[in-house]
Amino acid sequence: MSINTTRICLLRENTLNGNLAVQFVPIPNPLEQAWKEFEPLFKSAIKGPELFKKIAEHQELKVIFNNVNYCRYMNAPEGNLHYGLDGIKTYYEHQPNSVLESYTKERITAYCLSLKQNELKQDPAILAISHRRMGWEYPVHKLNDNFTVFFKTNFGYGNSSYFYTIIQYKGVLVVPYSDWVKYRFVNKYEIIRYSAHHFVSNESWEWAMEYAKDAWNLANLSESAFVNRYLLGQCEEMVSGLASILSGNKFKVFTKSWGILAGPSQVKEEIQLLGHSLMIYRAEKISGALTFIESINALSGTVAIGGIIEKIESFNLRMRPILEAEIPKIEENISRETAAMKSRKQEYDIASEEKNTYVVRYRELREEFPDEGLADFDQRFDQAYPGYMNAMKKCDDAYKQYCDASDKLSESERVVGELKKSLNDIRVYFDRKAEITGDLVG
């Protein structure tokens, strides 16, 4: 790990041609010599408050206790160094020297990073500078009247942390629609919030800035090429993926959770789906694409979207009768599986009652012979009650059959629930469209 620790990642504009470049600038440490001289004290007999006081009063090192917004753990809560001297003294002056030493090093890193960032901000050619500030950050970088880029971050808030690159072209958000078909697991409502989604880490700054650089440099060279790749191209890639999903059962996708992206090095894997797993996947992806129609419509004033919406609608009109035919069949199975589960439950209850009769007698007899060895006692019990082992096995078998029947029913209920949700999304979309246009679709 080096970004925001030993070097800063930045986005610089070439003032001659307007192109952007990603660069790295080392972070100097003006406190290096002072630290080398002070560091041996952590191995000395000086402890606690006295050692802390020496740091706080040191002519050069005391600056590290100035307030600084520095997120220690990018995607974990409670990881900020923004507290000044008064906010940390009570805790750290009573810590072991090793803990205080590690903390002091971190404060030095934060100080040096902040110092270099403030220096770089004075350069008008630098568009963006990597950071590790905690909380919501949304700096706006307008490159021309048509093109704006944002690095939207929320570091240090656990599961609520995020790292997005957002590009707007003529006021329209560049949306990575193809993510919907590239990833097996992805939140469709999240996709329309960003242009690129990054793993929450310092090293992701390079990926984020490379994405913004590539997009702008293409737009700077040819706006039509930018539109074809980042706007129309994303729509077409999604539509192509939907067509493959509707007709095939083998897909190359990113199978890792969208929320824990591994970065640009992540590799697609081939999956093969059959039966209801395939139907759920198709229904989810096809119906879910309807969510994007509003934002795709927003492109129509900028881009000739060329029947994209009509294709998404046609996929859903093909999917709807398939779902309408399949759902009743599964519901019939659910009725049979419910009856089977209840029957297995009754069999298990009877077997369990018989087993409990033996268990009660076992405990009673054990109280009569408390000093007898367990092996000898079990042998005595088996001889006195030869049906005991058979009752135990019968109960275990009945329980397994009951669990299997219950799991089968639960799976059918899950499947029909997923399919009903997709069918409802399709019906709601076309019902609303009919209300607006007055045309009955499908």
Side-chain angles (χ1 to χ4, degrees):
M1 183 177 71
S2 62
I3 294 179
N4 295 330
T5 302
T6 62
R7 60 180 184 160
I8 288 175
C9 184
L10 57 86
L11 202 56
R12 183 185 292 275
E13 181 181 9
N14 184 324
T15 55
L16 296 178
N17 59 20
N19 280 347
L20 298 179
V22 177
Q23 297 179 348
F24 295 93
V25 176
I27 303 173
N29 182 2
L31 302 176
E32 185 175 5
Q33 186 58 39
W35 171 250
K36 284 182 179 179
E37 295 171 0
F38 191 91
E39 190 175 16
L41 293 181
F42 290 100
K43 305 295 190 294
S44 70
I46 303 174
K47 305 292 181 185
E50 185 180 353
L51 184 57
F52 189 91
K53 182 180 179 183
K54 283 184 176 294
I55 304 171
E57 294 179 352
H58 192 280
Q59 186 63 30
E60 295 178 76
L61 294 179
K62 63 183 180 181
V63 295
I64 68 173
F65 291 123
N66 293 339
N67 283 347
V68 59
N69 189 340
Y70 178 94
C71 189
R72 304 172 73 188
Y73 312 110
M74 304 286 278
N75 58 359
E78 303 298 328
N80 206 350
L81 287 184
H82 71 275
Y83 301 108
L85 181 62
D86 293 338
I88 63 175
K89 179 180 178 182
T90 303
Y91 177 77
Y92 278 99
E93 68 178 0
H94 297 293
Q95 293 299 309
N97 283 16
S98 59
V99 174
L100 183 55
E101 179 181 10
S102 177
Y103 183 73
T104 304
K105 287 181 181 179
E106 203 164 14
R107 297 286 309 201
I108 291 174
T109 299
Y111 170 76
C112 295
L113 173 63
S114 178
L115 204 64
K116 188 61 179 178
Q117 285 172 329
N118 290 334
E119 175 192 326
L120 293 172
K121 287 176 183 177
Q122 307 309 311
D123 188 341
I126 295 177
L127 179 71
I129 302 169
S130 65
H131 71 80
R132 55 191 302 169
R133 290 187 292 274
M134 185 174 182
W136 190 75
E137 294 280 340
Y138 198 5
V140 178
H141 312 287
K142 189 170 183 179
L143 292 165
N144 65 17
D145 291 340
N146 291 338
F147 197 100
T148 305
V149 62
F150 313 75
F151 294 107
K152 188 174 182 180
T153 61
N154 188 37
F155 298 150
Y157 279 87
N159 292 333
S160 298
S161 302
Y162 55 75
F163 190 173
Y164 300 146
T165 300
I166 296 174
I167 292 174
Q168 287 185 345
Y169 177 72
K170 293 186 177 180
V172 176
L173 175 65
V174 173
V175 176
Y177 297 110
S178 64
D179 278 7
W180 184 238
V181 293
K182 285 179 180 177
Y183 290 89
R184 183 174 182 184
F185 307 107
V186 58
N187 186 325
K188 60 189 176 185
Y189 298 108
E190 284 290 316
I191 288 176
I192 55 178
R193 293 177 56 189
Y194 64 86
S195 302
H197 172 275
H198 315 294
F199 184 69
V200 179
S201 76
N202 285 297
E203 301 311 306
S204 290
W205 276 107
E206 181 178 5
W207 183 20
M209 291 190 181
E210 286 286 350
Y211 175 85
K213 177 209 71 175
D214 290 344
W216 164 250
N217 288 353
L218 183 60
N220 192 35
L221 175 68
S222 167
E223 286 202 12
S224 62
F226 168 82
V227 166
N228 285 335
R229 177 175 175 182
Y230 286 88
L231 296 177
L232 185 58
Q234 282 292 316
C235 294
E236 291 176 340
E237 190 173 350
M238 179 182 68
V239 165
S240 175
L242 292 174
S244 297
I245 289 170
L246 193 56
S247 61
N249 71 337
K250 291 183 179 180
F251 316 103
K252 279 195 171 183
V253 293
F254 296 119
T255 56
K256 287 186 178 179
S257 171
W258 168 87
I260 54 171
L261 295 177
S265 62
Q266 189 176 174
V267 177
K268 288 183 177 181
E269 300 175 30
E270 184 172 86
I271 60 172
Q272 181 174 7
L273 301 176
L274 301 169
H276 286 147
S277 294
L278 175 61
M279 184 167 290
I280 289 174
Y281 186 67
R282 282 177 175 167
E284 177 195 4
K285 294 298 184 180
I286 298 299
S287 66
L290 295 171
T291 305
F292 306 129
I293 284 182
E294 183 177 352
S295 62
I296 292 173
N297 256 327
L299 298 176
S300 59
T302 305
V303 182
I305 53 179
I308 295 293
I309 292 174
E310 288 76 9
K311 289 176 183 177
I312 294 173
E313 289 178 341
S314 71
F315 294 151
N316 278 273
L317 290 174
R318 288 169 59 186
M319 194 75 228
R320 183 168 69 179
I322 296 173
L323 295 175
E324 289 173 338
E326 185 65 21
I327 289 173
K329 295 178 184 177
I330 302 173
E331 288 177 329
E332 289 180 10
N333 287 338
I334 288 176
S335 296
R336 290 191 291 270
E337 289 166 1
T338 300
M341 186 272 293
K342 289 179 178 179
S343 176
R344 297 292 178 264
K345 179 65 166 60
Q346 291 174 350
E347 292 171 1
Y348 168 65
D349 288 342
I350 294 171
S352 180
E353 186 176 350
E354 182 182 0
K355 170 187 171 180
N356 288 337
T357 301
Y358 283 107
V359 170
V360 170
R361 184 61 189 127
Y362 183 95
R363 290 172 181 167
E364 292 173 346
L365 195 61
R366 185 60 177 162
E367 290 177 1
E368 296 178 22
F369 302 94
D371 299 326
E372 188 172 7
L374 186 59
D376 292 339
F377 176 78
D378 285 345
Q379 185 177 5
R380 174 197 295 274
F381 191 83
D382 289 343
Q383 291 173 352
Y385 298 94
Y388 167 65
M389 292 305 296
N390 184 57
M392 295 290 284
K393 184 179 184 305
K394 182 179 178 182
C395 183
D396 290 344
D397 291 345
Y399 179 70
K400 183 180 183 304
Q401 291 174 7
Y402 165 59
C403 288
D404 289 345
S406 181
D407 290 345
K408 187 176 182 181
L409 173 60
S410 295
E411 175 62 12
S412 294
E413 290 174 338
R414 183 191 70 82
V415 168
V416 82
E418 300 250 9
L419 297 182
K420 279 185 173 181
K421 181 181 182 305
S422 294
L423 178 58
N424 182 67
D425 290 344
I426 295 172
R427 286 172 170 170
V428 167
Y429 172 82
F430 286 109
D431 285 348
R432 287 176 179 171
K433 183 174 182 179
E435 289 176 5
I436 295 171
T437 64
D439 297 327
L440 294 177
V441 183

